């Protein structure tokens, strides 16, 4: 007859989980798991951590990054892990916040860069090693950069293939044919023109929303250009720049 409740051991005797004898019955599952966890060494986790760092650099090297950039990708990971003396998959959001708000506090742009690199490394772990880390160390891989402090644009290792020119031409052609059926014809035409000009010129939607008639210079270049208030760099603020209309954009306007 199988029983789950067994006599409590003597509290005065301290037992090593690795030395616990294999029990019989349903308790075998729990006992084997305890023995397996006890055999895992801290050095095994550290060695596996170093292996993931090397493979992460190889993966980024295949993407064509410079050697100096590859070294900078893993420095924030090593920095935080050495501070707490642990491996990445044992980090929590509270520990990361406490570090960057205290000993690791730097300028805002520096912190943003470190958080981006740390989160990108965890995206690599989740994609390639989440299952193995769970099997070997019993830890789930989850980025400690939670939605409250996660950067807006997270690194994505997936391959993004843009639509072909034929597909885009068919898309805009169907859209233009459907314009007479719109409930508000003028608004529909405006949206179509803005989307088509953004596609042709490559400007951002926020930049295009600020363009007025006085910003269009028909005499510049072969087909004309228009001035947009572009995105600034290094905290300098927005900068004006000229975008090309091309022949199709000029005819459309």
């Amino acid at each position: 007859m199988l029983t789950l409740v067994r006599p409590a051991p003597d509290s005065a005797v301290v037992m090593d989980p690795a030395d616990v004898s294999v029990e019989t019955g349903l308790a075998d599952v729990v006992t084997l798991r305890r023995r397996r966890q006890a055999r895992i060494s801290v050095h095994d986790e550290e060695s596996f951590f170093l292996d993931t760092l090397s493979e992460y650099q190889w993966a980024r090297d295949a993407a064509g990054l410079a050697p100096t950039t590859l070294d900078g990708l893993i420095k924030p990971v090593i920095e935080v892990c050495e501070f707490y003396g642990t491996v990445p998959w044992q980090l929590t959001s509270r520990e990361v916040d406490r570090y960057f708000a205290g000993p690791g506090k730097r300028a805002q742009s520096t912190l943003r860069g470190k958080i981006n690199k740390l989160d990108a490394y965890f995206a690599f772990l989740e994609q390639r090693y989440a299952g193995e880390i769970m099997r070997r160390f019993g830890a789930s891989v989850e980025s400690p950069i939670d939605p409250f402090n996660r950067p807006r644009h997270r690194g994505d290792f997936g391959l993004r293939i843009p639509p072909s020119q034929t597909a885009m031409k068919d898309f805009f052609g169907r859209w233009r044919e459907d314009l007479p059926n719109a409930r508000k014809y003028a608004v529909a035409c405006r949206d179509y023109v803005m989307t088509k000009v953004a596609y042709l010129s490559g400007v951002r939607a926020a930049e295009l929303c600020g363009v007025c008639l006085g910003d269009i210079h028909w005499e510049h270049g072969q087909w004309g250009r228009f001035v947009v208030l572009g995105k600034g760099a290094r905290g300098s603020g927005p900068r004006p720049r000229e975008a090309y209309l091309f022949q199709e954009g000029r005819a459309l306007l």
Side-chain angles (χ1 to χ4, degrees):
M1 183 175 182
L2 299 177
T3 60
L4 295 180
V5 180
R6 298 183 179 274
D10 188 0
S11 59
V13 180
V14 180
M15 302 183 65
D16 187 358
D19 298 332
V20 176
S21 60
V22 178
E23 302 174 0
T24 59
L26 296 179
D28 289 351
V29 178
V30 179
T31 304
L32 290 175
R33 181 174 179 83
R34 289 176 179 173
R35 290 170 61 88
R36 177 178 173 276
Q37 293 295 335
R39 286 196 300 267
I40 294 178
S41 171
V42 177
H43 299 288
D44 294 338
E45 279 194 290
E46 293 178 355
S47 299
F48 188 80
F49 169 40
L50 296 178
D51 291 341
T52 60
L53 289 179
S54 299
E55 187 165 345
Y56 178 56
Q57 286 187 306
W58 295 338
R60 295 289 81 197
D61 188 17
L65 299 183
T68 54
T69 305
L70 295 176
D71 292 336
L73 290 178
I74 63 174
K75 284 183 178 179
V77 183
I78 300 176
E79 178 183 344
V80 178
C81 290
E82 284 186 349
F83 179 80
Y84 287 106
T86 185
V87 290
W89 46 87
Q90 300 293 348
L91 289 174
T92 63
S93 300
R94 181 176 297 180
E95 290 175 339
V96 173
D97 292 343
R98 187 186 302 120
Y99 175 75
F100 286 120
K105 190 174 183 62
R106 299 292 186 272
Q108 184 179 2
S109 58
T110 304
L111 287 181
R112 188 185 304 113
K114 288 185 176 182
I115 290 176
N116 268 315
K117 294 173 182 176
L118 187 64
D119 196 52
Y121 169 74
F122 269 91
F124 170 79
L125 280 186
E126 292 173 5
Q127 183 170 344
R128 293 199 180 182
Y129 287 107
E132 186 173 354
I133 292 175
M134 173 60 72
R135 290 191 300 268
R136 295 182 59 177
F137 310 114
S140 60
V141 179
E142 185 177 358
S143 176
I145 312 300
D146 55 22
F148 291 98
N149 55 12
R150 175 166 292 172
R152 180 175 301 178
H153 302 290
R154 186 181 185 185
D156 187 3
F157 295 95
L159 181 62
R160 298 182 178 181
I161 303 177
S164 62
Q165 293 186 358
T166 304
M168 294 302 299
K169 184 177 181 179
D170 180 69
F171 167 73
F172 282 109
R174 291 175 179 270
W175 188 357
R176 185 161 188 168
E177 292 176 359
D178 193 58
L179 287 179
N181 302 326
R183 185 172 62 91
K184 295 183 178 181
Y185 179 73
V187 175
C189 290
R190 179 202 62 187
D191 295 342
Y192 170 80
V193 170
M194 291 186 67
T195 307
K196 187 68 175 292
V197 170
Y199 167 70
L200 295 173
S201 61
V203 300
R204 299 177 178 87
E207 297 172 347
L208 192 60
C209 288
V211 175
C212 301
L213 289 176
D215 298 325
I216 303 176
H217 301 279
W218 305 99
E219 70 281 0
H220 288 187
Q222 183 178 3
W223 307 110
R225 303 176 187 176
F226 60 100
V227 180
V228 296
L229 198 60
K231 179 182 177 182
R234 303 181 185 275
S236 63
R239 297 178 180 179
R241 64 183 178 90
E242 287 189 345
Y244 293 90
L245 279 176
F246 298 104
Q247 182 178 6
E248 192 173 357
R250 181 186 181 98
L252 183 65
L253 291 182

